Amino acid sequence: MKLVIAIVQDDDASDLIEVITDKDFRVTKLATTGGFLKAGNTTLLIGVEKEKVDEVLAIIKDVCKSRKQIVTSPSPVAGSTGVYMPFPIEVDAGGANVFVVDVDKYIKL
Ligand code: 2BA
């Protein structure tokens, strides 16, 4: 058994959950926050048999599209005047960050 932990953009989460459940996988959705942007994202926990991991990864890749986003830095830079100035930065948002973790035991009690 493996646990697929996928951090995805909120915009992609509903579509992804729909496809995953349609394909008979089980999923738990967590509302999470990215450490860098301090913006909401979604973390999905998908427990799956080892031989089905690639199928799940293919679904995630298909649904979650990468997008460029201009955001205001959450870590303002101090100017020479001592005033803190937020600055816009471009980041690649979307796509998915996925961890595949070995599960010792899965027990439904
Ligand atoms: P955030 O930490 O809010 O990061 C959002 C996006 O900001 C990142 O997209 C990346 O493009 C950019 N970014 C992050 N840290 C940066 C830095 N130090 N300098 C410049 N740009 C930076 P992704 O890499 O696709 O990550 C999306 C979200 O996935 C992250 O949100 C975080 O919640 C999660 N994540 C990514 N890698 C992770 C990891 N190794 N461990 C745990 N969570 C991770």
Side-chain angles (χ1 to χ4, degrees):
M1 186 95 180
K2 299 274 189 183
L3 179 63
V4 177
I5 303 172
I7 303 164
V8 305
Q9 275 217 319
D10 290 346
D11 287 347
D12 291 326
S14 337
D15 286 349
L16 184 54
I17 290 169
E18 198 173 318
V19 179
I20 283 173
T21 49
D22 281 355
K23 301 265 183 190
D24 261 354
F25 294 112
R26 297 182 181 195
V27 58
T28 295
K29 176 187 172 193
L30 306 173
T32 45
T33 304
F36 184 68
L37 296 182
K38 315 250 183 304
N41 54 26
T42 298
T43 299
L44 300 181
L45 306 180
I46 308 157
V48 63
E49 294 308 319
K50 203 165 91 182
E51 47 287 355
K52 299 274 190 173
V53 167
D54 286 344
E55 189 182 342
V56 169
L57 295 182
I59 295 169
I60 295 170
K61 192 172 177 192
D62 189 48
V63 174
C64 301
K65 304 295 177 201
S66 190
R67 313 170 179 95
K68 290 217 178 293
Q69 234 183 22
I70 304 288
V71 296
T72 301
S73 164
S75 310
V77 177
S80 53
T81 58
V83 175
Y84 280 77
M85 304 263 297
F87 61 99
I89 49 170
E90 186 180 74
V91 297
D92 271 320
N97 287 272
V98 182
F99 302 85
V100 180
V101 181
D102 281 326
V103 175
D104 280 345
K105 214 181 263 184
Y106 164 67
I107 313 168
K108 191 172 168 185
L109 298 172

